Amino acid sequence: MSRPPRAPRASSRRNPRSAAGDGPDTLEDGLIVASHGRHCVVETPDGQRVICHPRGKKLGVVVGDRVRWQPSQDEGTIEQITPRRNLLYRQDEVRTKSFAANLDQVLILVAAEPEFSEHQLSRALIACEAEHIEPLIVLNKADLAPLFARAWQRLAPYRAMGYTVLPMAARPVDGVVPAGCSLDDVIARLQGRTTLILGPSGAGKSTLINRAVPGAAALTNEISQALNSGKHTTTTTTWYWLDATRTGALIDSPGFQEFGLRHIEPMQLAAYMPDLKPHVAECRFYNCTHLHEPGCGVRAAVAEAGADPQAESTASAGAISASRYKIYSDLFHELSAPPNYGVG
């Protein structure tokens, strides 16, 4: 597997405006493969990489963007962003943080240990649903049998909803990989697609990236030095090609503690949760919040599942588990509350 082109060293020279740079015929095509603040790396169609700066503060580029840029000696200026297919981002009360654009799928990596947050998982899935991006859930550390069995059962509602959930043992303690849990099986799902990987600390994200992209650590160091971004793992989103033909890519994004969904309208929330969505049409009122109204199809499905002692564990198709409804209720109240900017 060939390594991606080396990232150039950053120049301290500012980009002068070129009189010829205003014409569309002088612009070149490029792909954003790394970003940090107002600096980014653009890859040209022939694989060269150039440090660039967006023109103006309102031109917010993210990794995965296809852009038109103006060369200027050994650097460049990004002039245009071509229309995006999608943009995965999170938004809290203070700011919006974009992950990446033009994605084919998002790999959400969780582990049997440390115990993952179902709330955080659900938030990431809702963000994917809102942007029509296919999610892939991977549960790591299948070699920790008792802990893995418990975590796998917690994911039963998500398998019932139709999400793909894969088991994996990226770095087994005793060196023996349980059947059907190979890391290579997961990597095979990445080929030919642009995939953003999300996951909490300790889930095994670095192991997956380094196996899928030999030399990834060296490349991230080069890019971090070029962008003057310091420690890559906390500052820079990076694009890695998975093959020499550049048909598949993996995007590594900085970790996060919270996944804000302030960009989601509370009345649209149920539409982005596949277990709730089918029951919305059964509600008596068109503006039902699914929290207290009579004749609510969602609440009826929750009550029906609660009457079955096996409903939570079997997570049969069409059921709404109590834990999932609690997540909906909590999120609805969060998104309906007025912003709290921490003043006073």
Side-chain angles (χ1 to χ4, degrees):
M1 184 180 299
S2 64
R3 281 188 59 187
R6 292 174 61 89
R9 292 184 179 276
S11 170
S12 60
R13 181 172 51 254
R14 300 288 294 177
N15 288 330
R17 292 196 62 147
S18 170
D22 295 333
D25 292 341
T26 66
L27 301 182
E28 299 186 10
D29 294 324
L31 167 70
I32 304 295
V33 295
S35 67
H36 173 69
R38 295 288 295 168
H39 301 74
C40 57
V41 177
V42 170
E43 182 174 290
T44 65
D46 63 359
Q48 298 300 311
R49 293 187 171 185
V50 183
I51 298 294
C52 288
H53 311 272
R55 173 81 71 195
K57 294 182 179 181
K58 294 184 178 181
L59 194 65
V61 298
V62 301
V63 170
D65 271 333
R66 301 284 175 173
V67 298
R68 299 274 287 163
W69 65 287
Q70 171 65 48
S72 176
Q73 299 182 26
D74 61 341
E75 295 190 4
T77 304
I78 299 170
E79 302 285 350
Q80 301 172 5
I81 302 174
T82 61
R84 295 163 171 159
R85 289 190 293 122
N86 52 56
L87 173 67
L88 188 73
Y89 65 101
R90 57 190 174 93
Q91 181 177 330
D92 57 25
E93 296 172 339
V94 178
R95 64 173 184 166
T96 298
K97 177 64 176 177
S98 298
F99 289 105
N102 301 315
L103 299 169
D104 295 315
Q105 67 179 355
V106 173
L107 190 159
I108 305 171
L109 183 63
V110 293
E113 186 183 48
E115 184 173 333
F116 64 88
S117 165
E118 196 174 341
H119 263 270
Q120 291 293 74
L121 170 62
S122 295
R123 288 167 182 265
L125 291 171
I126 289 168
C128 289
E129 293 282 351
E131 288 294 316
H132 307 288
I133 304 171
E134 179 183 348
L136 171 65
I137 304 171
V138 176
L139 179 61
N140 192 19
K141 305 187 182 179
D143 51 305
L144 305 179
L147 293 173
F148 185 85
R150 180 174 179 273
W152 187 256
Q153 189 58 51
R154 290 180 63 203
L155 293 173
Y158 301 89
R159 295 193 297 275
M161 280 181 254
Y163 289 119
T164 300
V165 184
L166 299 180
M168 184 177 76
R171 188 181 293 173
V173 176
D174 58 3
V176 178
V177 178
C181 301
S182 170
L183 189 151
D184 291 335
D185 294 338
V186 174
I187 294 176
R189 296 266 186 159
L190 310 178
Q191 303 305 315
R193 313 190 76 186
T194 298
T195 304
L196 172 72
I197 179 171
L198 297 176
S201 176
K205 188 169 67 167
S206 296
T207 301
L208 173 57
I209 292 172
N210 290 328
R211 177 77 71 83
V213 187
L219 179 62
T220 57
N221 288 336
E222 292 173 7
I223 290 176
S224 292
Q225 290 173 9
L227 296 178
N228 294 320
S229 61
K231 188 176 180 183
H232 163 77
T233 53
T234 60
T235 58
T236 307
T237 300
T238 306
W239 173 293
Y240 304 99
W241 290 113
L242 295 171
D243 52 83
T245 59
R246 296 190 294 172
T247 57
L250 186 62
I251 302 174
D252 179 23
S253 182
F256 54 89
Q257 297 299 319
E258 298 295 334
F259 199 119
L261 291 175
R262 279 283 177 175
H263 56 292
I264 303 293
E265 289 292 332
M267 294 303 294
Q268 290 295 316
L269 182 60
Y272 300 136
M273 300 181 73
D275 47 347
L276 273 69
K277 183 178 179 179
H279 302 285
V280 172
E282 302 166 5
C283 294
R284 180 185 304 174
F285 303 106
Y286 77 94
N287 59 346
C288 185
T289 65
H290 320 302
L291 297 177
H292 53 74
E293 294 87 347
C296 172
V298 171
R299 294 175 64 212
V302 176
E304 182 179 348
D308 180 1
Q310 300 297 318
E312 185 78 18
S313 59
T314 58
S316 59
I320 302 176
S321 69
S323 62
R324 283 283 296 173
Y325 182 71
K326 176 66 162 54
I327 289 171
Y328 169 81
S329 176
D330 291 346
L331 281 175
F332 190 95
H333 286 105
E334 175 185 317
L335 301 179
S336 302
N340 178 8
Y341 297 107
V343 178

